[in-house]
Amino acid sequence: KNMATKLNLPGPKAQEILKRDAATISPSYPRDYPFVMDHGKGTEVWDVDGNRFLDFAAGIAVCATGHSHPDVVKAIQQQAEKFIHISSDFYHEKWAQLGEKLNEIAPFQEDALCFMTNSGSEAVEAAIKLARYHTRRSRFIGFYGGFHGRTMGALAFTASKAIQRRHFYPMMTGVVHVPFPNPYRPRLSFDPTKADYGDAVIQYIEDFIFQYECPPEDVAAFLLEPIQGEGGYVVPPDSFFPRLRALCDKFGILLIVDEVQSGMGRTGKWWAVQHWNVEPDMVCAAKGIASGMPLGALIARKSMMDWPAGAHGNTYGGNPISCAASLETIRLIDESFMANAAKMGEYTLEALAEMAARHPSMGNVRGKGLMIGVEFVRNKETKERGKDIRDHTVHQAFEHGLLLLGCGRNTVRITPPLNVSKAEIDEGLEIFEEAVTEAERRLLGG
């Protein structure tokens, strides 16, 4: 493929569908560029006009096994032929099997119980309700930059972009936000000779939040992403999670990790929190859990899921087709895709670090496994945000056959399917660098 070839986008078939979409679909969806999909296989996708792209977005880190993996497709087809829905008022084997499998991979020693949902937002809602029920406490602590969903309870924690909250007040009360430990952009003053930024954030919670605003005995849980997703793919310092776990233990506060984007092998481990050898009390999962079928899960320590029948429920949770897709997805991730994510992630991070040394706009490269963020700046010394460079890079990449998504205020995420090949990484990074070069030439005069 000639990397210099610019595609004629959107093509005529895509333009027609875009018109129909605009006439009937809510304008609230944050579409960034006009990709109209026709079909996909693995990391490759084609639009309705026959243009080929590499997909380094994977449906917002959802298509863990790539597009239409034959084993997942077969599992979906076989279940659809048996029955499509029975509701959570009854039982089916795939639901029990998935519960057993999630118990196996849960990031804590205690046995797990699962509440199945259709989405990450619903998994977060279930976690909020269970935390209040189990602790009989009403307050929570979330983090600036966090994204936990758009339903009203989850939205009370979401703090990654103001537009996500604008005109939706009042939200669920009782949530206090604190800075997430972003080592590249620390918001709290601290002495780096005595502590790192992870320590500084914990100290801030103890010395200020607990003293002035939110007594620890009122706090049901901390709810946070181990690696922030929408907030900019921010990886905390290594000190942070062990100290947060100790703080929770000290005051009887639950630790809820939102692994909707970071879980299911994306970072080279089942759960991102495992990189810090910390056991949470509850895990919210979705996105990569079922290769694109709607499914989420709240996975909690058995001792904590002590609510009675009727306290919480839903109609579609544990949908048999989604469960079948999830079981096959988990098998594939366990078999080889998680190991591939770790290997390809290391390779990609090294390649991007080398690239960043050549490019004045690539201020920070970070991530674990195939959850990688590149933060763009206008100046590496001042760290002035380069949102315009980020946006231009994403659009240039699209026009040359690479699908990317932004996150945070000025970061690009790189999240291909977990079974991406080295050749596909190389091809994608070549397009990416050309797009960065063009963005810098146009916007920095380089």
Side-chain angles (χ1 to χ4, degrees):
K1 175 175 173 171
N2 180 3
M3 295 298 167
T5 302
K6 188 173 179 179
L7 301 173
N8 184 23
L9 301 170
K13 291 181 180 176
Q15 289 180 36
E16 177 60 30
I17 292 170
L18 291 168
K19 285 179 191 170
R20 291 163 56 194
D21 183 282
T24 55
I25 304 300
S26 167
S28 61
Y29 294 104
R31 275 91 167 254
D32 197 20
Y33 49 83
F35 173 68
V36 182
M37 185 160 174
D38 181 75
H39 65 284
K41 183 180 181 183
T43 305
E44 297 177 295
V45 293
W46 287 262
D47 73 4
V48 290
D49 293 289
N51 297 302
R52 171 191 173 270
F53 300 79
L54 284 174
D55 185 1
F56 276 23
I60 321 181
V62 166
C63 302
T65 59
H67 290 280
S68 298
H69 191 287
D71 293 355
V72 177
V73 171
K74 185 178 177 184
I76 290 169
Q77 290 172 333
Q78 287 178 341
Q79 180 56 48
E81 287 173 354
K82 291 181 177 179
F83 65 99
I84 292 171
H85 174 75
I86 187 62
S87 94
S88 55
D89 286 326
F90 301 104
Y91 305 83
H92 63 86
E93 188 179 12
K94 287 280 191 290
W95 198 354
Q97 281 182 308
L98 182 56
E100 290 165 350
K101 187 57 67 174
L102 292 175
N103 177 42
E104 278 179 36
I105 66 173
F108 41 75
Q109 290 297 310
E110 186 179 332
D111 284 344
L113 292 180
C114 301
F115 182 90
M116 307 297 182
T117 68
N118 309 287
S119 68
S121 296
E122 288 178 65
V124 169
E125 295 283 346
I128 295 167
K129 289 177 71 174
L130 180 58
R132 278 188 169 172
Y133 188 93
H134 177 72
T135 65
R136 298 298 196 269
R137 300 178 181 185
S138 58
R139 305 289 296 277
F140 291 90
I141 296 177
F143 288 79
Y144 290 117
F147 183 90
H148 303 283
R150 298 173 185 272
T151 51
M152 292 306 278
L155 189 62
F157 290 88
T158 290
S160 58
K161 290 184 178 73
I163 193 171
Q164 294 160 350
R165 299 164 68 96
R166 189 178 298 149
H167 302 318
F168 296 132
Y169 288 93
M171 288 174 230
M172 185 190 87
T173 59
V175 181
V176 174
H177 285 87
V178 298
F180 190 80
N182 180 345
Y184 187 63
R185 295 185 181 276
R187 292 298 177 203
L188 302 174
S189 59
F190 69 103
D191 183 352
T193 63
K194 295 180 180 177
D196 70 14
Y197 194 43
D199 295 316
V201 171
I202 297 296
Q203 211 61 50
Y204 173 78
I205 293 167
E206 285 199 274
D207 293 348
F208 290 93
I209 299 300
F210 284 172
Q211 297 302 320
Y212 296 113
E213 185 169 0
C214 194
E217 59 270 20
D218 287 351
V219 179
F222 284 87
L223 172 60
L224 74 163
E225 301 157 284
I227 298 174
Q228 286 196 333
E230 294 299 315
Y233 274 40
V234 180
V235 182
D238 289 341
S239 64
F240 176 65
F241 266 99
R243 285 211 56 190
L244 182 62
R245 179 71 265 183
L247 187 67
C248 288
D249 292 341
K250 181 178 177 180
F251 293 107
I253 298 170
L254 302 183
L255 178 58
I256 305 172
V257 289
D258 180 341
E259 296 259 13
V260 168
Q261 192 160 174
S262 59
M264 303 311 299
R266 169 66 44 196
T267 67
K269 294 183 183 288
W270 278 116
W271 312 102
V273 74
Q274 291 174 314
H275 288 283
W276 296 284
N277 297 313
V278 163
E279 291 193 3
D281 298 303
M282 300 185 199
V283 183
C284 301
K287 290 196 187 296
I289 198 170
S291 296
M293 290 299 295
L295 183 70
L298 168 62
I299 307 163
R301 295 175 187 265
K302 188 173 185 177
S303 60
M304 291 174 182
M305 202 173 273
D306 53 3
W307 47 12
H312 193 49
N314 61 8
T315 299
Y316 295 104
N319 173 270
I321 296 179
S322 293
C323 287
S326 182
L327 286 163
E328 200 56 34
T329 298
I330 290 170
R331 184 187 70 78
L332 290 164
I333 292 172
D334 196 26
E335 207 171 72
S336 63
F337 292 1
M338 184 159 58
N340 188 67
K343 185 178 177 183
M344 288 298 100
E346 191 176 336
Y347 174 76
T348 305
L349 279 164
E350 287 177 6
L352 285 167
E354 290 176 8
M355 194 187 298
R358 299 191 292 270
H359 289 275
S361 70
M362 292 175 66
N364 190 236
V365 174
R366 55 191 179 239
K368 291 186 181 294
L370 288 173
M371 187 175 184
I372 298 170
V374 180
E375 183 166 344
F376 284 89
V377 295
R378 299 191 63 82
N379 181 299
K380 284 188 178 180
E381 297 300 315
T382 65
K383 300 182 185 176
E384 180 189 348
R385 295 182 189 273
K387 181 182 183 301
D388 55 343
I389 302 169
R390 188 275 306 272
D391 292 349
H392 197 78
T393 296
V394 169
H395 292 149
Q396 280 291 312
F398 168 60
E399 291 176 5
H400 290 83
L402 176 67
L403 302 184
L404 296 169
L405 288 173
C407 60
R409 290 166 64 183
N410 52 305
T411 299
V412 164
R413 64 185 118 189
I414 294 176
T415 56
L418 305 187
N419 56 339
V420 66
S421 69
K422 181 176 177 292
E424 289 166 335
I425 291 287
D426 288 339
E427 182 185 350
L429 291 183
E430 189 174 340
I431 298 172
F432 180 70
E433 184 162 20
E434 286 200 359
V436 172
T437 301
E438 168 60 19
E440 288 176 344
R441 183 189 66 77
R442 187 165 298 187
L443 297 166
L444 293 181

